[in-house]
Amino acid sequence: MIKLLHLSDIHMGSGFSHGRVNPETGLNSRLEDFVGTLGRCIDRAIAEPVDLVLFGGDAFPDATPPPIVQEAFASQFRRLVDAQIPTVLLVGNHDQHAQGQGGASLSIYRTLGVPGFVVGDRLETHRIQTRNGPVQIITLPWLTRSALLTRPDAEGLSLSEIGHLLIDRLRVALEGEIRRLDPDVPTVLLAHLMADNARYGAERFLAVGKGFTVPLSLLARDCFDYVALGHVHRHQVLNESPPIVYPGSIERVDFSEEKEDKGFVLVTLERGQTAFEFCPLPVRAFRTIEVNLSTSNTPQADLLYALKPDLIQDAVVRLIYYTRSDQLDQLDLAEVHQALSSAHSYTIHPELISQLSRTRLPELGVGSTIAPIEALKAYLTNRDDLQEIAADMLEVAQSLLAEEEHIWLQPETVASLDAIDPLESVTPQDTQLRLL
């Protein structure tokens, strides 16, 4: 039995806009969050201890991270070297220079010959000896079209035809690795890709270049005892036998992930029978607070009431409130900023609602048969700003309706309508009368 820790999509160095400078360290607080969360993953790997750590790709937001970010990443993984826990670092799309051309940010670990570190920057099988026996790891890094096709290969083909050709090329290349496997040794496919039935997370917005979608049938092979995926930030299990698992990212990157659990996966690997467990991590909370003040008589009080201390304490907060222009003078933004001061960081997004774009009342919808005076009453009931003159408006409306009814009941009016010949030319005045 071999114990693995599977994590992915660290993206260390991203999300600085949601942080602040720590005056004691001079570092962005979000960088410290990412370092702390990665540290908890490494803590668990050492405490178990696991026999092997698998990283599914995307160490940084791009292939050229600042030195301080590279140092923070390396200092945590160095602890695995000291604990003599072998590690496989897979290259993801964010780790590559120019979509695969020019190397990858993780290649330095192979160049330096870091003990126990394997860098997966090509489709290749690695046999690794752990404390509890050997394991085979097939590394499948993020592949671009140029990695599998030349320009002449794709000439004259539609996008759909190119997609099918890419999958065919990948299937052949993967089959070549599978045929060289030792059937008696546990095997893991470690891949950074987009599976065809996976649900997206923030990687939809973070992707540097367009890849292609891989069918699940290509991954669900009996020769694999576990398929460790990276790229999708939302934890999900795509298949049970063999287990095909995205651990998700270890930290929230932005507000698109505020409702997602973050963590890593512990795997107990055996030939033909594998068990796994998702381990959630205590990460920084992201909170979106939306408040509609447009119908409120006390907008300031209602806005402050929505800013509950237990929601915003130490969280990254996005406050969105909707208000009318005539309510702006009733809002004290200094008091709002004070109420948000316990948040880790926050942004405020006011949205001005036009008074001309009110929601239609159901009783006044298309096909309504409500009497005109009742329609006016319904309208005035929902207009707080017209309450002072509502009675006068109803009185005038009733007077106008009574006068109109009197005009239409006069005998001379009825006779004038009957006298109009629809086939003869009519004057503009006649036309107006017909429209009435």
Side-chain angles (χ1 to χ4, degrees):
M1 180 181 70
I2 298 173
K3 191 175 290 187
L4 311 175
L5 188 145
H6 171 208
L7 75 160
S8 187
D9 295 271
I10 297 172
H11 288 280
M12 185 170 290
S14 62
F16 277 15
S17 60
H18 298 303
R20 58 192 180 194
V21 175
N22 184 334
E24 296 181 2
T25 63
L27 299 176
N28 187 284
S29 58
R30 286 300 286 154
L31 175 59
E32 294 180 328
D33 284 348
F34 279 75
V35 174
T37 302
L38 176 58
R40 283 186 279 274
C41 298
I42 305 301
D43 289 344
R44 184 66 181 272
I46 295 173
E48 284 289 330
V50 300
D51 301 302
L52 179 66
V53 170
L54 301 177
F55 171 61
D58 283 356
F60 311 107
D62 55 55
T64 56
I68 187 66
V69 175
Q70 296 184 58
E71 182 181 357
F73 179 89
S75 64
Q76 291 298 326
F77 276 94
R78 171 72 197 190
R79 297 168 57 201
L80 296 175
V81 178
D82 296 338
Q84 298 183 338
I85 297 176
T87 302
V88 181
L89 300 177
L90 188 68
V91 171
N93 54 305
H94 288 270
D95 303 315
Q96 296 180 355
H97 289 272
Q99 301 185 36
Q101 303 300 316
S105 58
L106 296 175
S107 297
I108 187 67
Y109 294 95
R110 182 177 56 216
T111 303
L112 293 175
V114 178
F117 269 46
V118 173
V119 177
D121 58 356
R122 60 179 66 91
L123 178 58
E124 187 177 4
T125 302
H126 308 268
R127 185 183 176 108
I128 299 173
Q129 185 64 42
T130 74
R131 284 176 290 206
N132 285 300
V135 60
Q136 299 171 119
I137 309 294
I138 297 179
T139 54
L140 177 58
W142 178 261
L143 295 177
T144 60
R145 292 176 180 176
S146 60
L148 296 171
L149 296 179
T150 62
R151 187 179 297 275
D153 291 333
E155 283 184 0
L157 299 181
S158 66
L159 289 177
S160 176
E161 291 171 330
I162 291 175
H164 284 91
L165 182 56
L166 286 168
I167 297 302
D168 288 341
R169 294 282 178 90
L170 177 58
R171 181 178 288 107
V172 170
L174 187 59
E175 187 64 33
E177 297 298 322
I178 290 173
R179 291 184 179 184
R180 290 191 286 271
L181 292 173
D182 185 337
D184 298 322
V185 176
T187 301
V188 174
L189 172 64
L190 177 61
H192 193 93
L193 51 79
M194 185 68 209
D196 60 358
N197 64 335
R199 294 170 296 161
Y200 277 99
E203 69 285 341
R204 179 196 299 265
F205 309 105
L206 291 173
V208 173
K210 293 183 178 180
F212 56 95
T213 301
V214 176
L216 189 66
S217 59
L218 195 63
L219 311 176
R221 306 284 295 270
D222 292 339
C223 57
F224 299 142
D225 299 294
Y226 182 74
V227 179
L229 299 181
H231 182 55
V232 174
H233 290 193
R234 179 183 300 178
H235 165 60
Q236 52 201 288
V237 179
L238 305 184
N239 195 65
E240 293 289 345
S241 182
I244 301 177
V245 181
Y246 282 108
S249 55
I250 66 168
E251 260 285 350
R252 295 189 176 99
V253 174
D254 56 29
F255 282 95
S256 68
E257 300 180 6
E258 67 178 292
K259 296 181 180 179
E260 296 177 6
D261 289 332
K262 299 300 175 184
F264 57 87
V265 177
L266 279 178
V267 184
T268 302
L269 184 72
E270 289 189 75
R271 188 72 185 98
Q273 55 181 32
T274 296
F276 62 93
E277 172 193 5
F278 177 71
C279 303
L281 288 164
V283 299
R284 179 80 63 186
F286 275 57
R287 304 258 194 250
T288 297
I289 300 175
E290 289 191 77
V291 189
N292 184 5
L293 304 175
S294 63
T295 59
S296 172
N297 294 322
T298 56
Q300 179 72 6
D302 290 348
L303 184 55
L304 294 176
Y305 179 78
L307 303 178
K308 294 179 170 55
D310 59 325
L311 283 179
I312 65 178
Q313 182 71 39
D314 295 326
V316 177
V317 176
R318 175 175 59 178
L319 171 62
I320 305 172
Y321 66 88
Y322 304 90
T323 184
R324 305 191 311 266
S325 58
D326 60 300
Q327 294 175 309
L328 295 177
D329 291 340
Q330 302 177 54
L331 297 178
D332 183 354
L333 291 184
E335 197 172 2
V336 175
H337 284 286
Q338 180 60 36
L340 287 167
S341 60
S342 63
H344 179 74
S345 65
Y346 64 88
T347 54
I348 301 176
H349 305 272
E351 298 284 346
L352 198 61
I353 293 181
S354 172
Q355 293 176 262
L356 300 178
S357 57
R358 293 180 175 272
T359 304
R360 292 185 178 273
L361 302 174
E363 56 265 41
L364 303 183
V366 177
S368 173
T369 58
I370 188 172
I373 197 66
E374 295 302 322
L376 180 59
K377 287 180 180 178
Y379 173 74
L380 292 174
T381 299
N382 288 271
R383 286 294 300 267
D384 295 337
D385 55 327
L386 298 179
Q387 293 308 302
E388 293 183 2
I389 60 173
D392 293 336
M393 291 181 67
L394 284 170
E395 183 179 346
V396 173
Q398 288 171 334
S399 175
L400 290 172
L401 288 172
E403 181 179 345
E404 180 183 356
E405 183 179 356
H406 174 73
I407 292 173
W408 277 98
L409 291 178
Q410 295 302 312
E412 59 269 23
T413 304
V414 177
S416 65
L417 288 174
D418 292 338
I420 296 176
D421 185 347
L423 298 179
E424 66 181 35
S425 60
V426 295
T427 66
Q429 290 79 9
D430 292 331
T431 304
Q432 185 177 9
L433 184 57
R434 287 186 180 186
L435 292 175
L436 286 173

